Amino acid sequence: NADIAMYRAKELGRANVQFYTEEMSAAALRRLHIENGLRRGLARGEFRLHYQPKYQIDDNRLLGMEALLRWNHPEEGLLLPGEFISVAEETGIIVELGEWVIRTACEQFKAWQQKGRSVPSLAINLSTRQCRNDGLVEFIGSVLARHQLEPAAIQLEFTEVSLMNQMAQIGDCLEALHGLGVKIAIDDFGSGCSSLTDLKRFPIDIIKVDSSFVHGLPGSSEDQAIVRAIVGLARGLGLDLVAEGVETPDQAAELQKLGCHQGQGHYWHRPAESEQLFRQQRA
Ligand code: C2E
Ligand code: MG
Ligand code: MG
Ligand code: MG
């Protein structure tokens, strides 16, 4: 009966709408929970930095450390950036949180030097949102000066996707950062389809090959072709190249063969607290 079918469809429609809004409000609540927690967490010292080493593939020489943010949430345990960075960006809290990251990572870098640990470089992830804050360049300059850190040893990583959406707005910021003497890296390269013109126009020093292209190595001929193309691009433009997400010895060997000589990933080390990394360090 048509009437009944119509009625059912309406009921179903209503049910769907209800379901949808319930899901939405659960997400909105979650977001609010994270947002409020971020400020409190910052004030209460709930954030931590883990570090992941970067290696020269052929001789496993340590090239540097990348700081990765962790949130030791009082109710939810250890949270990864994927669960809170976007909220921090949307609310602007990333400015303050990012300053904490920069300050803490640089203090750690200095401490490694003072303990005679040979860590040649420090990489810090930044959101482009931090570039919209006028004080960023000055802040980084003052932290480097305070700890007497060599600017060229500092690498600031921006994801390709975030850069390519906003090159026009943040080009000046990148230039100013570069003017401090620090290096600029494009993270997750290949996932965002940047224009080659942007690579030429902006002061980029380092390309990090997205882990999705490392994943299929050594077997996938598509991934081989993509990595080979990125290697050619980096060589031609005089940029350093690092592969991310290297998990197996075969992937490392294939990268080396394709001309990518630096890597990072679980094959060498998972991100960990500084003490743990140095306790585990191979002799
Ligand atoms: P990213 O900078 O590309 O960092 C690499 C991510 O891959 C990290 O995830 C790391 O734990 C993970 N990873 C490393 N090696 C392997 C591997 O061999 N296999 C697999 N499957 N994964 C691996 P994490 O720590 O969850 O960070 C995710 C992203 O969050 C980072 O990606 C970075 O874009 C962002 N992020 C991290 N810390 C900060 C920060 O302090 N500020 C900002 N703005 N973003 C940050
Ligand atoms: Mg990174
Ligand atoms: Mg990455
Ligand atoms: Mg990495």
Side-chain angles (χ1 to χ4, degrees), residues 13 35 38 52 80 82 114 128 178 199 205 209 215 230 236 242 274:
E35 182 179 336
L38 280 168
Q52 186 176 34
L80 295 172
Q114 285 169 338
T128 49
H178 208 240
L199 276 185
D205 305 287
V209 180
H215 212 84
I230 300 176
V242 190
S274 167

Short mmCIF file of all heavy atoms in Angstrom, two decimals, residues 13 35 38 52 80 82 114 128 178 199 205 209 215 230 236 242 274:
data_model
loop_
_atom_site.label_atom_id
_atom_site.label_comp_id
_atom_site.label_asym_id
_atom_site.label_seq_id
_atom_site.Cartn_x
_atom_site.Cartn_y
_atom_site.Cartn_z
N GLY A 13 13.10 8.45 7.29
CA GLY A 13 13.81 9.72 7.09
C GLY A 13 14.04 10.42 8.40
O GLY A 13 15.15 10.83 8.72
N GLU A 35 38.64 20.56 23.34
CA GLU A 35 38.98 21.99 23.35
C GLU A 35 39.21 22.51 24.77
O GLU A 35 40.20 23.17 25.05
CB GLU A 35 37.84 22.77 22.67
CG GLU A 35 38.10 24.25 22.58
CD GLU A 35 36.96 24.99 21.88
OE1 GLU A 35 36.22 24.36 21.09
OE2 GLU A 35 36.81 26.19 22.14
N LEU A 38 42.37 21.02 26.28
CA LEU A 38 43.65 21.52 25.75
C LEU A 38 44.21 22.63 26.62
O LEU A 38 45.38 22.62 27.00
CB LEU A 38 43.46 22.03 24.32
CG LEU A 38 43.44 20.98 23.20
CD1 LEU A 38 42.96 21.60 21.89
CD2 LEU A 38 44.81 20.34 23.01
N GLN A 52 61.60 10.90 17.42
CA GLN A 52 61.89 9.80 16.50
C GLN A 52 63.16 10.14 15.72
O GLN A 52 63.26 11.19 15.09
CB GLN A 52 60.73 9.56 15.53
CG GLN A 52 61.00 8.31 14.69
CD GLN A 52 59.87 7.94 13.77
OE1 GLN A 52 59.16 8.80 13.25
NE2 GLN A 52 59.69 6.64 13.56
N LEU A 80 47.37 10.78 20.66
CA LEU A 80 48.26 11.13 19.54
C LEU A 80 47.76 12.41 18.89
O LEU A 80 46.59 12.79 19.03
CB LEU A 80 48.26 9.99 18.51
CG LEU A 80 48.87 8.67 19.01
CD1 LEU A 80 48.64 7.56 17.99
CD2 LEU A 80 50.35 8.84 19.33
N GLY A 82 46.77 13.21 16.01
CA GLY A 82 45.59 13.07 15.16
C GLY A 82 44.29 13.31 15.92
O GLY A 82 43.26 13.66 15.34
N GLN A 114 74.63 19.10 25.79
CA GLN A 114 75.40 19.24 27.03
C GLN A 114 75.82 17.89 27.60
O GLN A 114 76.82 17.77 28.28
CB GLN A 114 74.58 20.05 28.05
CG GLN A 114 74.58 21.53 27.70
CD GLN A 114 73.58 22.33 28.50
OE1 GLN A 114 72.61 21.78 29.03
NE2 GLN A 114 73.78 23.64 28.58
N THR A 128 50.52 25.60 9.85
CA THR A 128 50.59 26.90 9.15
C THR A 128 49.83 27.96 9.96
O THR A 128 50.15 29.14 9.86
CB THR A 128 49.99 26.80 7.73
OG1 THR A 128 48.72 26.16 7.81
CG2 THR A 128 50.91 26.00 6.83
N HIS A 178 63.13 31.30 7.25
CA HIS A 178 64.35 30.91 6.55
C HIS A 178 65.45 31.93 6.80
O HIS A 178 66.63 31.58 6.89
CB HIS A 178 64.04 30.79 5.05
CG HIS A 178 64.92 29.83 4.35
ND1 HIS A 178 65.74 30.19 3.31
CD2 HIS A 178 65.11 28.51 4.54
CE1 HIS A 178 66.40 29.12 2.90
NE2 HIS A 178 66.03 28.09 3.62
N LEU A 199 57.43 24.81 -5.19
CA LEU A 199 58.69 24.27 -4.68
C LEU A 199 59.86 25.17 -5.05
O LEU A 199 60.82 25.31 -4.31
CB LEU A 199 58.95 22.89 -5.28
CG LEU A 199 58.28 21.70 -4.60
CD1 LEU A 199 58.75 20.42 -5.24
CD2 LEU A 199 58.60 21.70 -3.12
N ASP A 205 63.97 23.42 1.90
CA ASP A 205 65.29 22.77 1.96
C ASP A 205 65.21 21.25 1.94
O ASP A 205 66.13 20.58 1.52
CB ASP A 205 66.00 23.17 3.26
CG ASP A 205 66.11 24.67 3.40
OD1 ASP A 205 66.91 25.27 2.68
OD2 ASP A 205 65.35 25.26 4.23
N VAL A 209 59.36 12.21 1.98
CA VAL A 209 58.49 11.38 1.14
C VAL A 209 57.40 10.77 1.99
O VAL A 209 57.68 10.13 3.01
CB VAL A 209 59.30 10.24 0.48
CG1 VAL A 209 58.40 9.37 -0.39
CG2 VAL A 209 60.47 10.80 -0.33
N HIS A 215 55.29 2.39 1.68
CA HIS A 215 54.52 1.21 2.07
C HIS A 215 54.62 0.07 1.07
O HIS A 215 54.83 -1.07 1.43
CB HIS A 215 53.06 1.63 2.24
CG HIS A 215 52.36 0.85 3.29
ND1 HIS A 215 52.44 1.18 4.62
CD2 HIS A 215 51.61 -0.26 3.21
CE1 HIS A 215 51.76 0.30 5.32
NE2 HIS A 215 51.24 -0.59 4.49
N ILE A 230 60.40 11.56 -7.27
CA ILE A 230 60.66 12.52 -6.18
C ILE A 230 62.17 12.67 -5.98
O ILE A 230 62.66 13.78 -5.72
CB ILE A 230 59.94 12.11 -4.87
CG1 ILE A 230 58.42 12.06 -5.10
CG2 ILE A 230 60.27 13.09 -3.75
CD1 ILE A 230 57.61 11.58 -3.89
N GLY A 236 67.33 17.65 -8.63
CA GLY A 236 67.31 18.77 -9.55
C GLY A 236 67.20 20.11 -8.84
O GLY A 236 67.77 21.11 -9.26
N VAL A 242 64.17 12.70 2.61
CA VAL A 242 64.03 11.73 3.68
C VAL A 242 62.78 10.90 3.41
O VAL A 242 61.76 11.47 3.02
CB VAL A 242 63.80 12.42 5.05
CG1 VAL A 242 63.91 11.41 6.18
CG2 VAL A 242 64.74 13.58 5.26
N SER A 274 62.95 10.72 25.34
CA SER A 274 64.40 10.84 25.16
C SER A 274 65.19 9.78 25.94
O SER A 274 66.06 9.11 25.39
CB SER A 274 64.84 12.25 25.57
OG SER A 274 66.23 12.30 25.68
#
